[in-house]
């Protein structure tokens, strides 16, 4: 889910289904607030915040309340119920916000949950205002500002992990109360996808995957599911889902929130925003600085990560799994021609395989390093001059 926090003028201007959806969200927000505070609360001037997920996201102004509510609120309304047995994005988001709202404000890393209701499938959240997103910072042409925002994002991610380590039982208990299996650790699907990758690379690039590489991938899968380093994850780690505030970066979207290995998220410090379709390149040294910022927040909870060799081994193993899975998801459909667009997922794969080769070499994962170099070279040869991934505008 992407939230556009820029001004869109008077919301409610849309017609038909969109207008009805906004009205339904506001009505659900008024209902849950009135039920929560025991007195009618009126919301006006709804502004569509253009959520791209299953929720209608609205900013509205409070005009009638005898309580000390903020002047404006954000409402997320999930009108559709999932099929039986399917994960419920409303339940996962509500539980995620409940988990954080129980923490002190300086530990929260997200807006405060003011009210929610499973019957109306609605959440009412603190409004952080018309604040730029991390995406905005990356696309503005101010490199120092973008660097500070990325380091703030990394610190916030580390703080989020540190503050929720050991809270898995709480999360699961809250989720059971709202009903619905967690979606995030996708077990069987990842096993199946990992098994397909060697054949896909052989077919598309003509490179066989050695047994030693397959064994390292199997180890990486085990690490991602181990009991160590588990903490809350937003799962969707995209720069458009984070607000850059005066108190640091704040996370917005928890529709897929779950508890999993924090190392899965930490891999995104090596492969920044790799799951985001518009991911571009960062300048040399930026990822290392982001890792350092993240580690400074989590080392008090996981002291083993103070050891540089231990950290590097864990990160490289997690990085391998991320690159492997993304390759499995995307390589079969990529256009590996020399006429591919210069900003492309093809070029991103070249960059990530090259980086993996370098990092695997540092930790003496020789087979992985050599295989990654071959994959990167084969991809780059097919793309020709378009093999280099462009930088975000802030770093051009």
């Amino acid at each position: 889910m992407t939230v556009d926090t820029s001004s869109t003028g008077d919301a409610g201007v849309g017609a038909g289904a969109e207008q009805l959806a906004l009205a339904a969200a506001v009505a659900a927000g008024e209902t849950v607030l009135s039920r929560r505070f025991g007195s009618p609360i009126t919301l006006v001037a709804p502004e569509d915040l253009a959520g791209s997920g299953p929720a209608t996201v609205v900013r509205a102004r409070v005009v009638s309340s005898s309580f000390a509510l903020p002047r404006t609120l954000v409402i997320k309304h999930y009108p559709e119920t999932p099929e039986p047995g399917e994960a419920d994005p409303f339940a996962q988001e509500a539980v995620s916000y409940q988990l954080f709202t129980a923490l002190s404000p300086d530990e929260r890393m997200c807006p405060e949950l003011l009210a929610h209701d499973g019957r109306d499938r609605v959440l009412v959240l603190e409004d952080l205002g018309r604040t730029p997103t991390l995406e905005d910072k990356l696309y503005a042409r101010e490199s120092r500002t973008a660097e500070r925002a990325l380091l703030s994002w990394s610190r916030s991610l580390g703080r989020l992990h540190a503050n929720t380590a050991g809270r898995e039982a709480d999360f699961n208990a809250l989720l059971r109360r709202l009903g619905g299996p967690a979606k995030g650790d996708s077990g069987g699907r990842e096993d199946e996808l990992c098994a397909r990758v060697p054949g896909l690379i052989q077919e598309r690039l003509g490179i066989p995957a050695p047994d030693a590489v397959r064994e390292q991938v199997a180890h990486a899968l085990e690490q991602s599911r181990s009991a160590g380093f588990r903490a809350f994850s937003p799962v969707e780690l995209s720069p458009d889902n984070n607000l850059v505030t005066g108190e640091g970066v704040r996370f917005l979207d928890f529709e897929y929130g779950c508890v999993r290995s924090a190392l899965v998220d930490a891999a995104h410090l090596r492969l920044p925003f790799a799951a985001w379709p518009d991911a571009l390149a960062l300048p040399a040294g930026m990822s290392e600085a982001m890792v350092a910022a993240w580690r400074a927040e989590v080392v008090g909870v996981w002291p083993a990560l103070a050891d540089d060799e231990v950290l590097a081994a864990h990160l490289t193993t997690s990085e391998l799994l991320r690159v492997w899975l993304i390759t499995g998801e995307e390589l079969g459909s990529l256009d590996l021609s020399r006429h591919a667009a210069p900003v492309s997922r093809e070029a991103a794969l070249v960059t990530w395989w090259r980086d993996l080769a370098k990092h695997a070499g540092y930790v003496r994962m020789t087979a992985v390093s050599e295989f990654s170099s071959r994959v990167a070279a084969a991809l780059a040869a097919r793309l020709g001059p378009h093999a280099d991934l462009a930088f975000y505008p802030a770093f051009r």
Side-chain angles (χ1 to χ4, degrees):
M1 187 278 294
T2 303
V3 174
D4 177 6
T5 61
S6 62
S7 174
T8 56
D10 292 332
V13 175
E18 292 181 3
Q19 193 170 19
L20 290 173
L22 291 179
V26 170
E30 289 178 335
T31 298
V32 69
L33 285 169
S34 298
R35 190 179 296 136
R36 165 76 172 79
F37 293 102
S39 178
I41 294 174
T42 302
L43 304 175
V44 298
E47 177 184 343
D48 186 358
L49 295 183
S52 62
T56 301
V57 188
V58 184
R59 174 184 286 124
R61 182 159 53 88
V62 179
V63 294
S64 175
S65 172
S66 57
F67 303 96
L69 285 170
R71 185 175 173 221
T72 59
L73 302 169
V74 171
I75 303 157
K76 294 194 72 171
H77 182 223
Y78 291 81
E80 301 296 330
T81 56
E83 295 294 326
E86 288 187 358
D88 184 354
F90 162 75
Q92 287 190 237
E93 183 141 47
V95 165
S96 301
Y97 275 114
Q98 282 182 284
L99 187 71
F100 280 102
T101 298
L103 302 176
S104 63
D106 62 334
E107 295 177 321
R108 197 167 290 144
M109 303 299 108
C110 67
E112 181 181 0
L113 176 67
L114 301 175
H116 74 284
D117 192 281
R119 289 167 291 182
D120 293 302
R121 298 180 58 78
V122 63
L123 300 100
V124 180
L125 303 167
E126 171 191 11
D127 182 13
L128 297 180
R130 303 184 190 282
T131 306
T133 65
L134 182 54
E135 180 186 14
D136 294 332
K137 299 295 186 181
L138 291 172
Y139 277 85
R141 296 190 178 274
E142 298 178 9
S143 61
R144 292 294 180 86
T145 302
E147 287 174 5
R148 287 194 296 270
L150 286 167
L151 293 177
S152 178
W153 179 79
S154 304
R155 284 191 295 271
S156 291
L157 182 64
R159 210 167 299 151
L160 178 148
H161 289 150
N163 292 339
T164 58
R167 302 291 300 275
E168 185 166 10
D170 297 337
F171 182 89
N172 290 338
L174 290 168
L175 190 61
R176 284 193 298 271
R177 195 174 302 168
L178 278 177
K183 182 178 180 181
D185 285 335
S186 44
R189 177 182 170 277
E190 288 189 347
D191 289 338
E192 180 182 344
L193 187 57
C194 281
R196 289 208 315 263
V197 173
L200 191 58
I201 291 177
Q202 174 82 57
E203 176 188 344
R204 298 299 309 274
L205 302 175
I207 302 173
D211 290 342
V213 172
R214 298 182 191 224
E215 290 170 6
Q216 287 285 353
V217 171
H219 171 66
L221 263 175
E222 290 178 8
Q223 175 182 280
S224 73
R225 297 167 185 169
S226 69
F229 307 109
R230 291 182 73 81
F232 177 81
S233 169
V235 177
E236 288 195 334
L237 295 171
S238 302
D240 54 349
N241 284 335
N242 301 277
L243 295 182
V244 183
T245 75
E247 290 73 40
V249 168
R250 294 294 178 261
F251 296 87
L252 287 180
D253 181 18
F254 299 138
E255 291 168 5
Y256 300 99
C258 68
V259 174
R260 64 180 184 180
S261 171
L263 297 171
V264 175
D265 288 353
H268 289 263
L269 304 170
R270 291 270 186 89
L271 312 165
F273 316 117
W276 190 46
D278 299 322
L280 296 177
L282 296 177
M286 193 69 237
S287 286
E288 288 79 2
M290 292 165 67
V291 168
W294 174 82
R295 175 163 70 167
E297 300 296 336
V298 302
V299 71
V301 177
W302 299 309
L305 299 182
D307 185 305
D308 289 344
E309 291 188 4
V310 170
L311 175 66
H314 280 312
L315 284 180
T316 303
T317 299
S318 191
E319 180 184 2
L320 167 62
L321 182 58
R322 290 304 101 197
V323 174
W324 195 265
L325 290 171
I326 292 169
T327 300
E329 290 169 345
E330 302 190 10
L331 183 59
S333 60
L334 292 182
D335 176 14
L336 299 179
S337 72
R338 291 179 177 270
H339 304 291
V343 177
S344 63
R345 294 298 278 180
E346 294 93 328
L349 276 177
V350 173
T351 296
W352 298 332
W353 278 104
R354 281 176 179 165
D355 288 346
L356 177 59
K358 177 179 65 176
H359 296 143
Y362 292 159
V363 298
R364 297 180 292 280
M365 292 169 59
T366 305
V368 171
S369 181
E370 293 175 351
F371 178 74
S372 301
S373 293
R374 293 185 66 195
V375 172
L379 285 167
R382 290 173 180 260
L383 296 178
H386 301 312
D388 292 329
L389 184 63
F391 288 101
Y392 286 100
F395 302 111
R396 293 176 189 170

